[in-house]
Amino acid sequence: MIRVEDAEFYKENGYLLVKGVFNSEEVAQMRKAVDAIIQRAAMVNRDENAAWQGEFLPPEQLKKLVLKGFHDVHYHDAAFMRAAIHPNMVSVLEKLIGPNVQLHHSKMLVKPPENGAAFPMHQDQPYFPHEKHTMLAASIHLDNADEENGCLRVVPGSHKQGPMQHVGRHYLDHKAYPISDGTLCEAEAGDVLFFNYLTIHGSSANRSERTRRNVLFQYRDPEDFPTQNVHFDWGMGLMISGENPNFDKVKPNYQIVE
Ligand SMILES: O=C(O)CCC(=O)C(=O)O
């Protein structure tokens, strides 16, 4: 699916946009599944606004912004499990991470038209720090994404700076790292943006009349261990490619919730 030069680009720049990873039928199945999750959540009053809070936007703007965000989507619908282990995904992941690849977690991020929430620039590393920094996000586009509907933006090469100080673990100083300075990663439905968890990224609000739906999987090398006991999600540790030489080292602690 990708060439040696593409893997080199990822190593240098910390991100890679891969076109046409999913076909239109696969995208349609995931869109349907995303909509069903939102509907089911609304029926049981669990449809909360997941928009990030903070002083990166004036409060009157912030309170209007909406994000439909849910974790563990591959536990909601099999369309996402098929996506997580799709042969095209595996083929890219093996070149970016190595022969052994493990799923860490999944989530969906739906920015509704006109008021879809922004993400201030940040690294993902503070949320789930690891020893070797192999962790990367694969952000699957279910809609065409551009500047107007709040496509992802990255700072090329920023992963080389290593872990940075964030405001309360969440985002970087928004004056030093304005969203508008990020390189736009415009994409079409079915494309996947891969970016390392140290790569600075974010996105503007959706000001268009179109929804922007993305599903995001985080993957790592199974020999890259967490350095803190945080962010243990369902499905963490599923093997996507190769073998796990350290099956016993890290295990999530599941709980029964009444
Ligand atoms: O999907 C986006 O626009 C940004 C998502 C993001 O930054 C994240 O999940 O860390």
Side-chain angles (χ1 to χ4, degrees):
M1 184 104 229
I2 61 168
R3 302 160 305 168
V4 176
E5 303 90 275
D6 297 322
E8 281 300 317
F9 180 94
Y10 171 81
K11 215 165 145 192
E12 275 309 298
N13 294 283
Y15 75 101
L16 181 70
L17 179 68
V18 184
K19 304 289 296 174
V21 175
F22 294 94
N23 65 31
S24 53
E25 174 59 23
E26 291 158 343
V27 167
Q29 285 173 9
M30 284 188 271
R31 282 184 187 158
K32 199 168 153 227
V34 161
D35 293 347
I37 290 175
I38 295 173
Q39 274 173 25
R40 280 198 295 269
M43 272 156 52
V44 291
N45 289 332
R46 286 203 47 223
D47 185 15
E48 288 160 17
N49 185 0
W52 283 21
Q53 301 301 307
E55 39 64 77
F56 60 92
L57 279 177
E60 65 281 6
Q61 280 187 41
L62 204 60
K63 71 173 184 247
K64 292 185 195 144
L65 296 182
V66 175
L67 178 77
K68 306 279 182 189
F70 289 92
H71 276 78
D72 307 318
V73 289
H74 60 297
Y75 277 77
H76 288 255
D77 197 295
F80 302 118
M81 194 64 228
R82 287 194 291 276
I85 59 166
H86 193 289
N88 290 343
M89 288 283 263
V90 173
S91 136
V92 176
L93 290 165
E94 285 173 342
K95 295 206 173 64
L96 302 188
I97 294 178
N100 302 332
V101 180
Q102 211 175 32
L103 183 68
H104 186 261
H105 70 272
S106 68
K107 66 181 177 185
M108 66 183 226
L109 301 158
V110 177
K111 292 184 178 190
E114 280 154 20
N115 57 0
F119 282 88
M121 300 304 269
H122 64 282
Q123 298 175 315
D124 288 335
Q125 187 268 353
Y127 285 94
F128 30 86
H130 278 63
E131 282 168 8
K132 298 184 189 166
H133 309 315
T134 63
M135 184 85 73
L136 61 75
S139 187
I140 305 173
H141 292 79
L142 303 184
D143 297 290
N144 295 348
D146 52 30
E147 181 169 15
E148 223 200 343
N149 70 348
C151 71
L152 273 147
R153 293 167 181 259
V154 295
V155 178
S158 52
H159 62 306
K160 292 188 175 167
Q161 294 175 60
M164 296 167 71
Q165 190 62 43
H166 284 61
V167 180
R169 200 194 269 258
H170 297 301
Y171 54 88
L172 295 163
D173 175 359
H174 66 97
K175 295 195 185 82
Y177 294 93
I179 299 173
S180 54
D181 278 5
T183 299
L184 289 168
C185 296
E186 295 192 329
E188 291 170 300
D191 297 348
V192 180
L193 182 72
F194 295 84
F195 56 95
N196 184 267
Y197 84 158
L198 287 171
T199 303
I200 298 174
H201 63 283
S203 60
S204 306
N206 182 1
R207 298 294 180 204
S208 75
E209 291 172 358
R210 295 165 286 132
T211 304
R212 200 225 69 180
R213 289 166 286 196
N214 281 45
V215 172
L216 191 149
F217 294 104
Q218 293 275 354
Y219 299 98
R220 67 175 177 208
D221 184 323
E223 291 189 274
D224 187 0
F225 299 115
T227 56
Q228 287 175 30
N229 207 10
V230 289
H231 215 298
F232 282 85
D233 269 337
W234 283 20
M236 185 196 139
L238 292 175
M239 289 305 294
I240 300 302
S241 176
E243 60 184 27
N244 181 3
N246 291 285
F247 172 70
D248 278 334
K249 182 127 188 211
V250 183
K251 285 200 172 160
N253 183 13
Y254 293 123
Q255 291 171 358
I256 296 175
V257 181
E258 299 290 331

